[in-house]
Amino acid sequence: MNADWMEVVTVVALVALTLGGSAFAIRAVKGPTLADRVVAIDGVLVTIVAATLVSAVRTGSGWFVDVGLVVGFVGFVGTTAAARFIEGRGD
C-alpha cells in the first residue's frame, strides 16, 4: 500500500512539474524582454532540478541527488552571469 501511494504522489508531482516547465518554456519563447527570458529559463532549470529530485525519491537512488545539485549550481551560475550581462546592457 505504501509503495502504491508513493508512486501516485511522484507521478502527480512529475505531471505538475511538466506543466510548470511547459509554462516557463512558453514564457522563454514569448518573453518581451531579455530579463523575462532569463527568468523563464531559470524556472525551467528549477523544474528540471525538482523533477530530478522527485525521480531520486521514486527510485531510491542517491545518484539523482548529485545530478540535481550539479544542474542547480550550473543554473545559478548561468542566471547570475545573465543578470550581470543585462545589468551592463542597461536593458
Side-chain angles (χ1 to χ4, degrees), residues 3-61:
D4 293 338
W5 176 251
M6 187 61 78
E7 184 72 22
V8 170
V9 169
T10 56
V11 168
V12 168
L14 288 172
V15 168
L17 288 169
T18 301
L19 292 173
S22 299
F24 279 124
I26 290 170
R27 176 48 62 193
V29 172
K30 294 177 80 174
T33 65
L34 181 59
D36 288 332
R37 290 186 171 100
V38 169
V39 170
I41 291 172
D42 187 46
V44 168
L45 285 172
V46 168
T47 56
I48 289 170
V49 169
T52 304
L53 295 177
V54 168
S55 296
V57 170
R58 186 176 188 187
T59 63
S61 174

Side-chain angles (χ1 to χ4, degrees), residues 38 42 73-87:
V38 169
D42 187 46
F73 181 69
V74 170
F76 171 75
V77 170
T79 301
T80 304
R84 298 271 315 221
F85 174 73
I86 292 170
E87 182 182 6

